[in-house]
Amino acid sequence: MTVTPALARRAWGTLETLHVTGFFAPEVTAAYDRFGVPATRAGYFAARGSAFGPCAPELVISTFYVFAPKLVRAAVPAVWAAGTPEEWATARRDGVAARLHDVLGEPDVAEAVELAREACAGLTPAGRPVYAAWSAQPWPEDPLLQLWHAGLLLREHRGDGHVTALLSAGLDPVEALVTGGLASDSTEFVRTTRGWTDEEWAAGVERLRARGLVDDDGLTQAGRDLRDDVETVTDFLAVEGWAHLGEDGIGRLVELVTPLREQVLASGVLPDWIRSRG
């Protein structure tokens, strides 16, 4: 049986809830703070970009796509003077482990890990720079962290494809944030965390207004259709790993991970706009 993009999206979303805790857990923030880099989101750029090695800010600007260049340049390469890429990656991993074990305890995830790793075995690196970098990194020893790491690989593979979809739709970084925020009710979060000025944001809105994609009420029908197209392309480009796992494997993985996902959602570590989609 064929694995559809919709089924692949469901599988990704189930595992993504565990992975995304690394962006919000206080233990991770505390681990970053110990490096003493005052720049906003320095730890995020350093840990997520650590698989590239001590890279220049331009690589982060290019591959992370939606962050204001000045926000990235305030943190990179200063973060590499404060710690090696390996130290930043370890800080994130240790913080995630602390949070997940606090919420989930010591669950038996051996079967889930086996299935998730099989999905990752079907991923390919061509045209996927962030995924490609992370695919060369070693897997953690902790089984629960292995499940999180599988989520990382699948997420970054999907994210690389999402950038392709945004470029194909003609949405620059600010326009992507404006339309995506309106589509997912996350405007406040993306507007306050991606580093764009009010003037840059307003200019992006006006560009979208000129294209008939937004109006005073939010996304127009054309804007909703365009965002739907972006998500459709993203889903299509993200199928390969899940197709490798197969429909039966996906069903079993979702069955195994769903109780863990529900515990994470109930823990309160994730923002309301993510929990509301749970």
Side-chain angles (χ1 to χ4, degrees):
M1 292 179 282
T2 302
V3 172
T4 65
L7 181 60
R9 182 183 182 89
R10 181 188 176 204
W12 161 75
T14 302
L15 197 56
E16 169 70 356
T17 305
L18 273 65
H19 173 258
V20 79
T21 57
F23 298 128
F24 299 99
E27 294 89 343
V28 175
T29 301
Y32 295 161
D33 288 345
R34 289 196 289 272
F35 288 93
V37 182
T40 302
R41 300 190 71 78
Y44 171 89
F45 296 132
R48 189 177 168 214
S50 62
F52 289 131
C55 63
E58 286 75 18
L59 184 56
V60 174
I61 293 166
S62 170
T63 56
F64 291 16
Y65 195 66
V66 292
F67 290 91
K70 63 181 175 299
L71 187 69
V72 177
R73 292 193 176 103
V76 181
V79 291
W80 310 133
T84 66
E86 292 78 11
E87 288 170 335
W88 283 101
T90 298
R92 176 169 69 159
R93 190 168 59 245
D94 290 350
V96 168
R99 169 52 55 168
L100 288 180
H101 282 292
D102 181 62
V103 172
L104 301 174
E106 300 291 340
D108 181 1
V109 294
E111 184 181 359
V113 167
E114 181 180 1
L115 292 165
R117 292 189 69 152
E118 187 64 22
C120 292
L123 301 176
T124 57
R128 314 274 184 164
V130 185
Y131 162 73
W134 278 104
S135 70
Q137 301 302 307
W139 285 75
E141 294 184 5
D142 180 345
L144 192 53
L145 274 182
Q146 288 185 28
L147 196 60
W148 170 81
H149 186 76
L152 181 158
L153 295 177
L154 289 157
R155 182 187 202 275
E156 297 296 11
H157 180 276
R158 180 184 178 86
D160 288 328
H162 187 60
V163 172
T164 298
L166 291 170
L167 289 166
S168 179
L171 294 172
D172 67 29
V174 176
E175 295 163 357
L177 290 171
V178 173
T179 56
L182 290 170
S184 63
D185 195 28
S186 60
T187 296
E188 181 179 2
F189 174 76
V190 297
R191 185 168 184 174
T192 57
T193 59
R194 271 41 182 172
W196 301 97
T197 66
D198 289 344
E199 293 76 14
E200 290 166 333
W201 189 272
V205 171
E206 289 307 309
R207 291 193 297 275
L208 293 167
R209 191 185 299 272
R211 293 172 62 183
L213 300 176
V214 302
D215 57 23
D216 291 342
D217 296 321
L219 288 173
T220 63
Q221 185 59 53
R224 288 191 291 272
D225 290 344
L226 184 65
R227 283 304 310 194
D228 286 345
D229 288 345
V230 166
E231 296 307 318
T232 297
V233 172
T234 301
D235 288 342
F236 176 78
L237 294 175
V239 165
E240 66 175 4
W242 301 109
H244 179 78
L245 178 60
E247 189 170 359
D248 290 343
I250 290 172
R252 181 58 176 160
L253 179 61
V254 169
E255 179 184 2
L256 291 168
V257 176
T258 292
L260 306 178
R261 177 178 185 267
E262 291 175 348
Q263 287 178 260
V264 171
L265 289 171
S267 72
V269 71
L270 301 179
D272 289 342
W273 63 270
I274 291 181
R275 294 205 303 273
S276 66
R277 299 186 308 189

